[in-house]
Amino acid sequence: MYGRMSMKDEARGTRPRAGVAAAAVAAFLSVSVVTGPVLAQAPREGGTGVFAHEQEPGTCNMVHPSGQSGAVAAVGGLIHAGTYKFPPTGGPVPFIIAKEAEVGSNPFSVTYTIRDDAKWNDGTPITAEDYAFTYRTIVDQKWTIANRRPYALVPGFEILGPKVIKFNFSASVPTYKLMFHVLLPKHDLEGKDWDTAWKDTVPVSNGAFKMGPWTKGQQIVFQKNPHFWSGGTKLDSVVLRFVPETNTLLQLLRSGEIDASDPQPQPEIISSVRNMPNIKIDAKTGLLSEFLRFNLKTPGLDKQYVRQAIVMGIDREAIVQQLMKPVDPNATPPQSWVFAPGSPYFQPKYGALAYNPRAAIKLLEDNGCRRGSEQVFVCGGARLDFRYVSTAGNERRQLTFEIVQAFLSQIGIRVRADFSQAAVQFGTRGPKGDYDLFNQGGLFEDPIALGPFMRCDGTLNASGYCNRELDQLMDRSTVTADVPARAALLNEMDAILARDLPLFPVFGLPRMVVYNAAKVGGVNVSPNTDNGVGPGGWYWNWNAHELHLVR
């Protein structure tokens, strides 16, 4: 699987073979992102696009803690429009608002002027009252909200007209463009129980489509929103099918039963679709990472040196070479949560934690750990035998587990697969802390995204991790407008995460859509829409109104 060892490899220790993973991954080493011939086709109005997503949501509520998953964002990107859109290049673009928000100082304020033609899907105009209602709902302590920051920094607002609202802040918030990525319709939701109102359906929304029937376990149907602005919606409807199994997805794509999908990037898909006629891949890389999160309430994982040994016992470079290079030839193991290598503020934080199995074993032994049954270490009475929770049916995550399992077995740590369907993994197990190691994707380049998971009082922090210094840095960076000063704070946050290791990035995760170019067009992946679970749309449907069938 890993080829011939160099002298450097031998000095660090023999790399393990990963059993099934070794044979499976080796077959993909020479695969590149290529496709079959694509027929040039003209766009047309109307029709139904059939898309596949591997995860079924457990809720439709993108603002609730249980709704912080890709499945919810995939639905949300079709039915919601945010204040700003986040295209792949060029920076945020005003969308609900008619022009750039007006930013004031002393005190810091943000004024939104809503487009005259912006309406809800029932024809009701979107007004300043909707922004005010959204703000009140988010800051109201009686509702369960995933992240109240930075809305909690808004002491009040002024409605300056039916379509104009000014929010006054107690401190400057340079990331204000990430706010109000979902608006709540006051005329539909006022007086309802917010915690349950969007559990199974969203009757009134403002996106390119409106939500139709949801057949649990199968699909959701979305109809064209006749009141959508921005040139209108091209498709009459979208069917979003839930296909958790990679092999089933490939069969549906090959047979033409689906037009497109946004699968987890994995060599098996690249290898399989390269010879399918008219199949095209749009893949782009941002700061998104596949990572492991540790439950510090689990005996053994509550010790930093055990978490450090796990990190040093996993060869991230080998995993990237086997699983990500076929998708992105430039892929490298992430060295920072907050900045990409090309940024002037990039500071690698994980280099000191490079693969070193001998050092990992020594670290455990130096802290009094001793081998027990099956050569598994026991540290302070805790056997280093952990549940590894991930998404059922995802072939790449299965391979990742097998590789990680093989590496860790060589340093005396055992992990056991405990996979669940996505709605259970992200909607129940994650928020309740029902895991030891939790494998997922995400990006945490900003406190808005990081806070719910890592703050001491984070709504999604069920891991037992708490660092008050990190919380203070998140607070300070949220209100620091000076770019270099804010970058310095973000790098300090990054250094704490690399030291404490409540989680660590395994490999960068490109965003990818596989589609039949002879059937569907308008696909334009944007990796810039991931922060906060899809502000302005999810990465493949941020421009849902432009998706269309071709002649």
Side-chain angles (χ1 to χ4, degrees), residues 37-41 277-279 515-521 549-551:
V38 178
L39 302 176
Q41 301 286 349
N278 302 314
I279 299 301
Y515 64 102
N516 190 327
K519 298 179 65 177
V520 67
L549 299 184
V550 296
R551 300 185 188 279

Side-chain angles (χ1 to χ4, degrees), residues 9 27 50 77 82 86 117 153 160 174 177 200 298 308 359 372 390 407 472 497 506 515 542 544 549:
D9 295 328
V50 182
F86 293 75
D117 57 353
L153 297 174
L160 305 179
K177 291 185 180 181
D200 294 310
T298 300
Q308 182 176 339
S390 192
F407 277 127
Q472 292 172 4
L497 293 174
V506 182
Y515 64 102
W542 67 276
L549 299 184

Side-chain angles (χ1 to χ4, degrees), residues 415-434:
V415 291
R416 293 168 284 112
D418 188 7
F419 287 15
S420 304
Q421 294 299 320
V424 176
Q425 179 187 355
F426 297 110
T428 304
R429 301 193 67 178
K432 290 186 176 181
D434 182 15

Side-chain angles (χ1 to χ4, degrees), residues 97 100-104 109-113 160 164-167:
I97 53 178
E100 284 285 352
E102 298 175 39
V103 179
S109 66
V110 177
T111 300
Y112 300 115
T113 300
L160 305 179
V164 184
I165 186 168
K166 177 182 179 181
F167 290 95

Side-chain angles (χ1 to χ4, degrees), residues 52 54 249 261-266 269 510-514 539:
E54 74 169 25
L249 172 65
S261 179
D262 62 330
Q264 293 278 341
Q266 50 193 297
I269 290 176
R511 286 307 196 183
M512 183 175 82
V513 170
V514 180
Y539 68 90

Side-chain angles (χ1 to χ4, degrees), residues 24 133 225 316 402:
F133 178 76
N225 174 7
R316 299 191 303 152
E402 292 174 4

